[in-house]
Amino acid sequence: MRIILLLLAIIAVAITSAAQDYQDYADGYEQDSLYQDYASRQQEKVDGGGGNGLGKAIGAFGISYLVGAKVHSNRVTKKMKSKHLKDQKALYTQYYNDVYKLEEQKAEQQAVIEQLQAALA
């Protein structure tokens, strides 16, 4: 008799423990693994997984290099333009002075030629 009662108690415990499973009452809503996925991604970040660190560093270096190159090339361009303008102004001034001196020499030579022609005639 005791054995039968013990078996009935074990069967009752087994039935009630199986009846209390969530899946029995889920009605088509199975348990998702959203939190487990989130937790595993967070753990990968903590562990250094993902591999985005080196890519981000290289990307930041490349962008800063291009921006710096643009800024410095603009500075050099401004300096070179001002230098070339000064050189061009000096060249035009020298040209103008040379042409003026040649015109003066031509006028003097014309005057000397006229004097010599007048002396010969």
Side-chain angles (χ1 to χ4, degrees), residues 9-34:
I10 291 174
I11 291 172
V13 170
I15 291 173
T16 57
S17 66
Q20 292 176 355
D21 190 18
Y22 174 75
Q23 296 299 326
D24 293 342
Y25 303 106
D27 293 332
Y29 295 103
E30 285 77 26
Q31 210 168 9
D32 59 13
S33 63
L34 184 64

PDB file of all heavy atoms in Angstrom, residues 9-34:
ATOM      1  N   ALA A   9       2.229   9.569  -5.684  1.00  0.00           N
ATOM      2  CA  ALA A   9       2.797  10.870  -5.348  1.00  0.00           C
ATOM      3  C   ALA A   9       3.844  11.283  -6.384  1.00  0.00           C
ATOM      4  O   ALA A   9       3.897  12.440  -6.828  1.00  0.00           O
ATOM      5  CB  ALA A   9       3.403  10.827  -3.953  1.00  0.00           C
ATOM      6  N   ILE A  10       4.676  10.337  -6.795  1.00  0.00           N
ATOM      7  CA  ILE A  10       5.704  10.636  -7.803  1.00  0.00           C
ATOM      8  C   ILE A  10       5.054  10.988  -9.132  1.00  0.00           C
ATOM      9  O   ILE A  10       5.451  11.944  -9.811  1.00  0.00           O
ATOM     10  CB  ILE A  10       6.665   9.437  -7.939  1.00  0.00           C
ATOM     11  CG1 ILE A  10       7.507   9.292  -6.670  1.00  0.00           C
ATOM     12  CG2 ILE A  10       7.578   9.616  -9.141  1.00  0.00           C
ATOM     13  CD1 ILE A  10       8.369   8.064  -6.650  1.00  0.00           C
ATOM     14  N   ILE A  11       4.008  10.249  -9.499  1.00  0.00           N
ATOM     15  CA  ILE A  11       3.298  10.533 -10.751  1.00  0.00           C
ATOM     16  C   ILE A  11       2.615  11.900 -10.678  1.00  0.00           C
ATOM     17  O   ILE A  11       2.636  12.683 -11.639  1.00  0.00           O
ATOM     18  CB  ILE A  11       2.295   9.402 -11.061  1.00  0.00           C
ATOM     19  CG1 ILE A  11       3.047   8.121 -11.410  1.00  0.00           C
ATOM     20  CG2 ILE A  11       1.367   9.801 -12.193  1.00  0.00           C
ATOM     21  CD1 ILE A  11       2.159   6.901 -11.550  1.00  0.00           C
ATOM     22  N   ALA A  12       2.039  12.238  -9.547  1.00  0.00           N
ATOM     23  CA  ALA A  12       1.370  13.526  -9.385  1.00  0.00           C
ATOM     24  C   ALA A  12       2.371  14.673  -9.490  1.00  0.00           C
ATOM     25  O   ALA A  12       2.112  15.712 -10.117  1.00  0.00           O
ATOM     26  CB  ALA A  12       0.633  13.568  -8.055  1.00  0.00           C
ATOM     27  N   VAL A  13       3.522  14.513  -8.895  1.00  0.00           N
ATOM     28  CA  VAL A  13       4.562  15.547  -8.968  1.00  0.00           C
ATOM     29  C   VAL A  13       5.042  15.691 -10.406  1.00  0.00           C
ATOM     30  O   VAL A  13       5.246  16.802 -10.916  1.00  0.00           O
ATOM     31  CB  VAL A  13       5.723  15.217  -8.002  1.00  0.00           C
ATOM     32  CG1 VAL A  13       6.913  16.134  -8.256  1.00  0.00           C
ATOM     33  CG2 VAL A  13       5.266  15.336  -6.569  1.00  0.00           C
ATOM     34  N   ALA A  14       5.223  14.578 -11.093  1.00  0.00           N
ATOM     35  CA  ALA A  14       5.691  14.625 -12.480  1.00  0.00           C
ATOM     36  C   ALA A  14       4.671  15.297 -13.377  1.00  0.00           C
ATOM     37  O   ALA A  14       5.010  16.084 -14.267  1.00  0.00           O
ATOM     38  CB  ALA A  14       6.002  13.221 -12.968  1.00  0.00           C
ATOM     39  N   ILE A  15       3.391  15.020 -13.171  1.00  0.00           N
ATOM     40  CA  ILE A  15       2.333  15.619 -13.997  1.00  0.00           C
ATOM     41  C   ILE A  15       2.244  17.116 -13.745  1.00  0.00           C
ATOM     42  O   ILE A  15       2.127  17.914 -14.679  1.00  0.00           O
ATOM     43  CB  ILE A  15       0.988  14.910 -13.739  1.00  0.00           C
ATOM     44  CG1 ILE A  15       1.022  13.487 -14.299  1.00  0.00           C
ATOM     45  CG2 ILE A  15      -0.161  15.692 -14.358  1.00  0.00           C
ATOM     46  CD1 ILE A  15      -0.199  12.669 -13.936  1.00  0.00           C
ATOM     47  N   THR A  16       2.286  17.530 -12.491  1.00  0.00           N
ATOM     48  CA  THR A  16       2.163  18.954 -12.188  1.00  0.00           C
ATOM     49  C   THR A  16       3.386  19.731 -12.650  1.00  0.00           C
ATOM     50  O   THR A  16       3.270  20.876 -13.071  1.00  0.00           O
ATOM     51  CB  THR A  16       1.949  19.174 -10.679  1.00  0.00           C
ATOM     52  OG1 THR A  16       3.020  18.576  -9.962  1.00  0.00           O
ATOM     53  CG2 THR A  16       0.623  18.635 -10.230  1.00  0.00           C
ATOM     54  N   SER A  17       4.555  19.113 -12.579  1.00  0.00           N
ATOM     55  CA  SER A  17       5.749  19.832 -13.038  1.00  0.00           C
ATOM     56  C   SER A  17       5.739  19.967 -14.558  1.00  0.00           C
ATOM     57  O   SER A  17       6.190  20.965 -15.104  1.00  0.00           O
ATOM     58  CB  SER A  17       7.017  19.130 -12.571  1.00  0.00           C
ATOM     59  OG  SER A  17       7.126  17.869 -13.197  1.00  0.00           O
ATOM     60  N   ALA A  18       5.211  18.966 -15.252  1.00  0.00           N
ATOM     61  CA  ALA A  18       5.117  19.062 -16.710  1.00  0.00           C
ATOM     62  C   ALA A  18       4.020  20.029 -17.110  1.00  0.00           C
ATOM     63  O   ALA A  18       4.105  20.709 -18.130  1.00  0.00           O
ATOM     64  CB  ALA A  18       4.861  17.691 -17.313  1.00  0.00           C
ATOM     65  N   ALA A  19       2.963  20.149 -16.349  1.00  0.00           N
ATOM     66  CA  ALA A  19       1.842  21.022 -16.674  1.00  0.00           C
ATOM     67  C   ALA A  19       2.202  22.479 -16.448  1.00  0.00           C
ATOM     68  O   ALA A  19       1.589  23.365 -17.023  1.00  0.00           O
ATOM     69  CB  ALA A  19       0.625  20.636 -15.845  1.00  0.00           C
ATOM     70  N   GLN A  20       3.207  22.766 -15.660  1.00  0.00           N
ATOM     71  CA  GLN A  20       3.562  24.148 -15.362  1.00  0.00           C
ATOM     72  C   GLN A  20       4.589  24.706 -16.344  1.00  0.00           C
ATOM     73  O   GLN A  20       5.101  25.791 -16.137  1.00  0.00           O
ATOM     74  CB  GLN A  20       4.094  24.239 -13.939  1.00  0.00           C
ATOM     75  CG  GLN A  20       3.032  23.983 -12.903  1.00  0.00           C
ATOM     76  CD  GLN A  20       3.603  23.985 -11.504  1.00  0.00           C
ATOM     77  OE1 GLN A  20       4.804  24.088 -11.317  1.00  0.00           O
ATOM     78  NE2 GLN A  20       2.733  23.874 -10.520  1.00  0.00           N
ATOM     79  N   ASP A  21       4.898  24.006 -17.394  1.00  0.00           N
ATOM     80  CA  ASP A  21       5.851  24.489 -18.387  1.00  0.00           C
ATOM     81  C   ASP A  21       5.226  25.647 -19.156  1.00  0.00           C
ATOM     82  O   ASP A  21       4.052  25.621 -19.528  1.00  0.00           O
ATOM     83  CB  ASP A  21       6.242  23.345 -19.334  1.00  0.00           C
ATOM     84  CG  ASP A  21       7.398  23.729 -20.229  1.00  0.00           C
ATOM     85  OD1 ASP A  21       8.105  24.713 -19.897  1.00  0.00           O
ATOM     86  OD2 ASP A  21       7.604  23.063 -21.248  1.00  0.00           O
ATOM     87  N   TYR A  22       5.996  26.665 -19.435  1.00  0.00           N
ATOM     88  CA  TYR A  22       5.511  27.848 -20.139  1.00  0.00           C
ATOM     89  C   TYR A  22       5.011  27.496 -21.530  1.00  0.00           C
ATOM     90  O   TYR A  22       4.041  28.073 -22.013  1.00  0.00           O
ATOM     91  CB  TYR A  22       6.632  28.887 -20.232  1.00  0.00           C
ATOM     92  CG  TYR A  22       6.269  30.087 -21.079  1.00  0.00           C
ATOM     93  CD1 TYR A  22       5.405  31.054 -20.602  1.00  0.00           C
ATOM     94  CD2 TYR A  22       6.781  30.250 -22.361  1.00  0.00           C
ATOM     95  CE1 TYR A  22       5.063  32.148 -21.377  1.00  0.00           C
ATOM     96  CE2 TYR A  22       6.454  31.324 -23.134  1.00  0.00           C
ATOM     97  CZ  TYR A  22       5.588  32.279 -22.640  1.00  0.00           C
ATOM     98  OH  TYR A  22       5.254  33.353 -23.405  1.00  0.00           O
ATOM     99  N   GLN A  23       5.688  26.579 -22.193  1.00  0.00           N
ATOM    100  CA  GLN A  23       5.332  26.230 -23.558  1.00  0.00           C
ATOM    101  C   GLN A  23       3.916  25.668 -23.647  1.00  0.00           C
ATOM    102  O   GLN A  23       3.270  25.786 -24.689  1.00  0.00           O
ATOM    103  CB  GLN A  23       6.324  25.215 -24.130  1.00  0.00           C
ATOM    104  CG  GLN A  23       7.746  25.743 -24.249  1.00  0.00           C
ATOM    105  CD  GLN A  23       7.838  26.949 -25.170  1.00  0.00           C
ATOM    106  OE1 GLN A  23       7.107  27.048 -26.146  1.00  0.00           O
ATOM    107  NE2 GLN A  23       8.727  27.864 -24.838  1.00  0.00           N
ATOM    108  N   ASP A  24       3.417  25.078 -22.593  1.00  0.00           N
ATOM    109  CA  ASP A  24       2.061  24.552 -22.621  1.00  0.00           C
ATOM    110  C   ASP A  24       1.033  25.661 -22.702  1.00  0.00           C
ATOM    111  O   ASP A  24      -0.059  25.485 -23.228  1.00  0.00           O
ATOM    112  CB  ASP A  24       1.799  23.698 -21.372  1.00  0.00           C
ATOM    113  CG  ASP A  24       2.633  22.432 -21.381  1.00  0.00           C
ATOM    114  OD1 ASP A  24       3.123  22.059 -22.474  1.00  0.00           O
ATOM    115  OD2 ASP A  24       2.806  21.824 -20.302  1.00  0.00           O
ATOM    116  N   TYR A  25       1.356  26.829 -22.175  1.00  0.00           N
ATOM    117  CA  TYR A  25       0.408  27.944 -22.156  1.00  0.00           C
ATOM    118  C   TYR A  25       0.781  29.042 -23.151  1.00  0.00           C
ATOM    119  O   TYR A  25       0.205  30.117 -23.135  1.00  0.00           O
ATOM    120  CB  TYR A  25       0.358  28.554 -20.743  1.00  0.00           C
ATOM    121  CG  TYR A  25      -0.009  27.547 -19.699  1.00  0.00           C
ATOM    122  CD1 TYR A  25       0.947  27.053 -18.829  1.00  0.00           C
ATOM    123  CD2 TYR A  25      -1.302  27.073 -19.601  1.00  0.00           C
ATOM    124  CE1 TYR A  25       0.620  26.117 -17.876  1.00  0.00           C
ATOM    125  CE2 TYR A  25      -1.641  26.129 -18.650  1.00  0.00           C
ATOM    126  CZ  TYR A  25      -0.676  25.665 -17.796  1.00  0.00           C
ATOM    127  OH  TYR A  25      -0.991  24.738 -16.848  1.00  0.00           O
ATOM    128  N   ALA A  26       1.750  28.819 -24.011  1.00  0.00           N
ATOM    129  CA  ALA A  26       2.261  29.866 -24.884  1.00  0.00           C
ATOM    130  C   ALA A  26       1.308  30.214 -26.009  1.00  0.00           C
ATOM    131  O   ALA A  26       1.331  31.321 -26.521  1.00  0.00           O
ATOM    132  CB  ALA A  26       3.599  29.444 -25.470  1.00  0.00           C
ATOM    133  N   ASP A  27       0.476  29.289 -26.436  1.00  0.00           N
ATOM    134  CA  ASP A  27      -0.467  29.520 -27.534  1.00  0.00           C
ATOM    135  C   ASP A  27       0.231  30.045 -28.784  1.00  0.00           C
ATOM    136  O   ASP A  27      -0.177  31.033 -29.391  1.00  0.00           O
ATOM    137  CB  ASP A  27      -1.577  30.491 -27.110  1.00  0.00           C
ATOM    138  CG  ASP A  27      -2.485  29.899 -26.058  1.00  0.00           C
ATOM    139  OD1 ASP A  27      -2.614  28.658 -26.034  1.00  0.00           O
ATOM    140  OD2 ASP A  27      -3.056  30.669 -25.267  1.00  0.00           O
ATOM    141  N   GLY A  28       1.313  29.424 -29.171  1.00  0.00           N
ATOM    142  CA  GLY A  28       2.006  29.799 -30.398  1.00  0.00           C
ATOM    143  C   GLY A  28       3.103  30.824 -30.195  1.00  0.00           C
ATOM    144  O   GLY A  28       3.824  31.154 -31.125  1.00  0.00           O
ATOM    145  N   TYR A  29       3.228  31.376 -29.010  1.00  0.00           N
ATOM    146  CA  TYR A  29       4.283  32.349 -28.740  1.00  0.00           C
ATOM    147  C   TYR A  29       5.434  31.623 -28.078  1.00  0.00           C
ATOM    148  O   TYR A  29       5.457  31.403 -26.880  1.00  0.00           O
ATOM    149  CB  TYR A  29       3.784  33.468 -27.822  1.00  0.00           C
ATOM    150  CG  TYR A  29       2.713  34.315 -28.454  1.00  0.00           C
ATOM    151  CD1 TYR A  29       1.387  34.152 -28.117  1.00  0.00           C
ATOM    152  CD2 TYR A  29       3.044  35.269 -29.407  1.00  0.00           C
ATOM    153  CE1 TYR A  29       0.395  34.915 -28.693  1.00  0.00           C
ATOM    154  CE2 TYR A  29       2.055  36.040 -30.000  1.00  0.00           C
ATOM    155  CZ  TYR A  29       0.734  35.853 -29.634  1.00  0.00           C
ATOM    156  OH  TYR A  29      -0.219  36.612 -30.223  1.00  0.00           O
ATOM    157  N   GLU A  30       6.401  31.260 -28.880  1.00  0.00           N
ATOM    158  CA  GLU A  30       7.564  30.586 -28.337  1.00  0.00           C
ATOM    159  C   GLU A  30       8.493  31.612 -27.713  1.00  0.00           C
ATOM    160  O   GLU A  30       8.490  32.777 -28.088  1.00  0.00           O
ATOM    161  CB  GLU A  30       8.315  29.794 -29.423  1.00  0.00           C
ATOM    162  CG  GLU A  30       7.631  28.515 -29.824  1.00  0.00           C
ATOM    163  CD  GLU A  30       6.433  28.758 -30.735  1.00  0.00           C
ATOM    164  OE1 GLU A  30       6.426  29.780 -31.432  1.00  0.00           O
ATOM    165  OE2 GLU A  30       5.521  27.938 -30.739  1.00  0.00           O
ATOM    166  N   GLN A  31       9.296  31.180 -26.839  1.00  0.00           N
ATOM    167  CA  GLN A  31      10.224  32.072 -26.159  1.00  0.00           C
ATOM    168  C   GLN A  31      11.305  32.499 -27.149  1.00  0.00           C
ATOM    169  O   GLN A  31      11.877  31.686 -27.857  1.00  0.00           O
ATOM    170  CB  GLN A  31      10.853  31.336 -24.979  1.00  0.00           C
ATOM    171  CG  GLN A  31      11.219  32.241 -23.856  1.00  0.00           C
ATOM    172  CD  GLN A  31      11.560  31.447 -22.605  1.00  0.00           C
ATOM    173  OE1 GLN A  31      11.674  30.233 -22.658  1.00  0.00           O
ATOM    174  NE2 GLN A  31      11.718  32.140 -21.496  1.00  0.00           N
ATOM    175  N   ASP A  32      11.550  33.807 -27.217  1.00  0.00           N
ATOM    176  CA  ASP A  32      12.570  34.292 -28.140  1.00  0.00           C
ATOM    177  C   ASP A  32      13.911  34.408 -27.436  1.00  0.00           C
ATOM    178  O   ASP A  32      14.006  34.298 -26.218  1.00  0.00           O
ATOM    179  CB  ASP A  32      12.168  35.632 -28.740  1.00  0.00           C
ATOM    180  CG  ASP A  32      11.942  36.707 -27.693  1.00  0.00           C
ATOM    181  OD1 ASP A  32      12.331  36.497 -26.540  1.00  0.00           O
ATOM    182  OD2 ASP A  32      11.384  37.758 -28.043  1.00  0.00           O
ATOM    183  N   SER A  33      14.931  34.635 -28.241  1.00  0.00           N
ATOM    184  CA  SER A  33      16.285  34.738 -27.679  1.00  0.00           C
ATOM    185  C   SER A  33      16.808  36.163 -27.834  1.00  0.00           C
ATOM    186  O   SER A  33      17.994  36.378 -28.036  1.00  0.00           O
ATOM    187  CB  SER A  33      17.213  33.750 -28.379  1.00  0.00           C
ATOM    188  OG  SER A  33      17.304  34.081 -29.748  1.00  0.00           O
ATOM    189  N   LEU A  34      15.912  37.140 -27.748  1.00  0.00           N
ATOM    190  CA  LEU A  34      16.306  38.535 -27.941  1.00  0.00           C
ATOM    191  C   LEU A  34      17.305  38.984 -26.883  1.00  0.00           C
ATOM    192  O   LEU A  34      18.335  39.575 -27.188  1.00  0.00           O
ATOM    193  CB  LEU A  34      15.068  39.433 -27.915  1.00  0.00           C
ATOM    194  CG  LEU A  34      15.290  40.908 -28.193  1.00  0.00           C
ATOM    195  CD1 LEU A  34      15.808  41.077 -29.612  1.00  0.00           C
ATOM    196  CD2 LEU A  34      13.997  41.675 -28.018  1.00  0.00           C
TER     197      LEU A  34
END
